[in-house]
Amino acid sequence: MARLSVNVDHVATIREARGIQEPDPVLAAGLAELAGSEGIICHLREDRRHINDRDLMLLRQTIKTKLNMEMAAAEEIVGIAIETGPDLVTLVPEKREELTTEGGLDVLARPDHFRGVTERLKEAGIQVSFFVDPVPDQVRAALECGADIVEIHTGHYADASSESEIVEQFNRIEKAVETGVNIGLGISTGHGLNYVNVKRFKALPEIEEYSIGHSIVARAVMVGFERAVREMVELVKDF
Ligand code: PXP
């Protein structure tokens, strides 16, 4: 049985659009836990465009499931992770100009760097996951660098538009999952998964955890919109 961990970054994105205090990703994380989420994920980006240091600290203090901190393997952020002590760190590549994480970590390009960062995080008692493209060599390299888990990037699958491309991308994910399972890594997956494209994953019971954010926030806006309007109508109707 697979688990869901909810990424609350885009609750913070909405907050930052106004530069005020709501909606609060910390409150959303509590609600996600009440709804059954088995973990909370946030990405403390170097530019702090959504989640900030205050959010991370309060999430660490308040969530009762498992805190997964997504982050670049950059010195400042590694220091914050070690100080904060999330249950899990997911190492991701990060580019300032990107709208969201665009691809997996190129572990093969800088194995010594990722091995060093992983060792420091693990010494601090933090589990480490590597976010990688569905490429068996990257999965194997993650293990060699000390990763406990690989999160297989599903973004290319989510972006595929024709059925043949979808099948091709899904097959790549399947092979990467198989590689990870065979060498004993924990397996999670995510990026771009939504209420439609996630259904195909029933065929891959080896995946232990799903990391999903944007589609949940997008759906919350839609399923909650009518109620929110009704509540405001009630407030103003007798003015
Ligand atoms: N996994 C990783 C490594 C990510 O960077 C993201 C996006 O922050 C997700 C999962 C969740 O992706 P989405 O918001 O598209 O569900």
Side-chain angles (χ1 to χ4, degrees):
M1 220 167 74
R3 302 182 295 269
L4 171 68
S5 277
V6 175
N7 180 315
V8 294
D9 291 352
H10 297 309
V11 177
T13 301
I14 300 172
R15 174 189 65 191
E16 295 306 312
R18 266 295 166 97
I20 55 174
Q21 290 180 342
E22 64 175 11
D24 190 341
V26 179
L27 196 51
L31 291 172
E33 287 190 322
L34 283 176
S37 180
E38 296 194 55
I40 299 298
I41 305 168
C42 69
H43 184 172
L44 186 73
R45 295 186 77 105
E46 290 182 86
D47 64 11
R48 312 295 200 272
R49 69 171 72 158
H50 39 51
I51 294 295
N52 58 36
D53 302 60
R54 166 265 184 204
D55 300 332
L56 178 69
M57 186 187 71
L58 287 181
L59 285 169
R60 175 64 298 176
Q61 288 174 9
T62 56
I63 73 154
K64 294 168 191 65
T65 55
K66 195 181 73 179
L67 179 62
N68 177 353
M69 178 180 172
E70 256 180 46
M71 53 178 254
E75 195 48 43
E76 182 213 0
I77 306 289
V78 172
I80 292 172
I82 289 171
E83 217 174 285
T84 308
D87 301 283
L88 174 70
V89 152
T90 299
L91 295 179
V92 299
E94 196 174 298
K95 289 191 225 133
R96 280 183 189 253
E97 64 277 15
E98 70 192 356
L99 281 178
T100 179
T101 313
E102 282 172 355
L105 213 55
D106 190 357
V107 188
L108 292 162
R110 296 171 76 200
D112 293 341
H113 175 65
F114 294 122
R115 189 177 297 112
V117 168
T118 302
E119 274 169 13
R120 287 167 64 200
L121 292 166
K122 288 175 82 165
E123 267 166 29
I126 303 167
Q127 263 200 318
V128 182
S129 174
F130 282 23
F131 180 61
V132 295
D133 284 331
V135 173
D137 281 352
Q138 296 286 1
V139 172
R140 283 188 279 268
L143 178 74
E144 279 159 23
C145 291
D148 305 292
I149 298 166
V150 273
E151 179 179 336
I152 307 293
H153 181 215
T154 51
H156 303 300
Y157 161 77
D159 289 341
S161 47
S162 67
E163 179 60 20
S164 63
E165 205 192 333
I166 292 169
V167 169
E168 184 191 326
Q169 292 299 337
F170 191 77
N171 288 344
R172 290 181 69 210
I173 294 168
E174 190 170 12
K175 287 205 179 71
V177 167
E178 195 183 303
T179 304
V181 169
N182 287 342
I183 59 178
L185 284 167
I187 311 288
S188 63
T189 194
H191 208 283
L193 295 178
N194 61 35
Y195 293 77
V196 176
N197 64 21
V198 76
K199 290 181 184 161
R200 205 174 284 255
F201 284 82
K202 198 168 180 1
L204 295 183
E206 301 84 356
I207 297 173
E208 293 155 294
E209 187 165 307
Y210 288 83
S211 159
I212 305 183
H214 184 268
S215 65
I216 292 176
V217 175
R219 194 173 184 92
V221 171
M222 288 301 146
V223 300
F225 207 74
E226 185 182 341
R227 174 171 162 189
V229 171
R230 283 185 195 288
E231 288 178 3
M232 191 58 84
V233 166
E234 281 302 309
L235 269 177
V236 302
K237 79 172 184 210
D238 296 327
F239 286 2

